[in-house]
Amino acid sequence: MKKRVLSLLVDNTSGVLSRVAGLFSRRGYNMTVGETADPRYSRMTVVVNGDQQILDQITKQLAKLVDVVDIKQLAEGESVTRELVLVKVRVGRENRQDVMSIANIFRAKIIDVGVDSLIIELTGRESKIEAFFKLLGDYEILELARTGMTGLSRGAEDVRYL
């Protein structure tokens, strides 16, 4: 199974997300979406897994959608990908500093401090996120929110101007 990261430029209209997501029913995928600098368009990052035939079929089906303006494959080494994680960890007076030290190692931010919990914000590659969770394994995670992967290609040569 191969993993492919696609960056889609789509019209910023209602229903686009559901039409694109409909192509991935019953397939493992991860999708993020957000408005671009031009409010007429949104950028979707889609992570799909499958053999080469399935990956090519998905790309062709996406290209047929009227709302899809551009499709780029974000190749490793030629793109920058990141994920955002917010995690609420149960802490007491005795282990608060330990959890804060783990966060500092990963350049994470403590964005909320409660009497019995911390909320930590971490941005990075999937491997960094997984390593962070491995070190947090001894602590109780109360809540977790992950954005999924998002990314852009490196350099100015591959920018699509509209």
Side-chain angles (χ1 to χ4, degrees):
M1 282 259 223
K2 292 183 178 181
K3 178 167 97 172
R4 182 178 288 178
V5 181
L6 302 174
S7 179
L8 311 176
L9 190 63
V10 298
D11 291 328
N12 193 7
T13 57
S14 62
V16 174
L17 179 60
S18 64
R19 283 191 288 281
V20 172
L23 292 178
F24 300 102
S25 61
R26 290 181 275 158
R27 293 185 176 124
Y29 75 96
N30 182 327
M31 184 182 307
T32 60
V33 64
E35 194 174 275
T36 65
D38 183 339
R40 296 177 299 167
Y41 302 101
S42 290
R43 170 110 21 229
M44 294 178 135
T45 305
V46 182
V47 181
V48 294
N49 294 298
D51 61 29
Q52 192 61 45
Q53 181 182 1
I54 289 172
L55 297 174
D56 291 341
Q57 178 186 11
I58 289 170
T59 303
K60 288 175 186 174
Q61 288 174 333
L62 285 168
K64 289 179 183 178
L65 293 176
V66 173
D67 298 311
V68 175
V69 177
D70 184 50
I71 303 171
K72 281 194 265 189
Q73 182 174 342
L74 298 181
E76 184 128 1
E78 298 174 16
S79 60
V80 176
T81 59
R82 294 292 184 267
E83 182 175 354
L84 168 68
V85 174
L86 297 176
V87 59
K88 185 186 297 182
V89 181
R90 183 180 307 279
V91 294
R93 196 174 293 152
E94 67 283 349
N95 63 358
R96 181 180 310 273
Q97 194 57 50
D98 294 339
V99 173
M100 291 173 75
S101 294
I102 292 170
N104 287 334
I105 290 168
F106 287 88
R107 295 190 198 106
K109 296 177 187 172
I110 307 296
I111 58 172
D112 185 70
V113 178
V115 173
D116 57 356
S117 66
L118 294 173
I119 297 179
I120 303 167
E121 174 187 311
L122 177 62
T123 305
R125 297 182 59 89
E126 188 176 19
S127 59
K128 178 180 177 180
I129 305 289
E130 295 306 321
F132 176 71
F133 284 129
K134 193 175 282 188
L135 284 180
L136 280 182
D138 293 336
Y139 302 96
E140 183 182 358
I141 294 176
L142 299 171
E143 290 185 278
L144 174 67
R146 292 179 80 157
T147 61
M149 188 184 301
T150 190
L152 293 172
S153 59
R154 293 183 185 272
E157 312 78 53
D158 199 23
V159 175
R160 307 295 204 274
Y161 294 99
L162 301 174

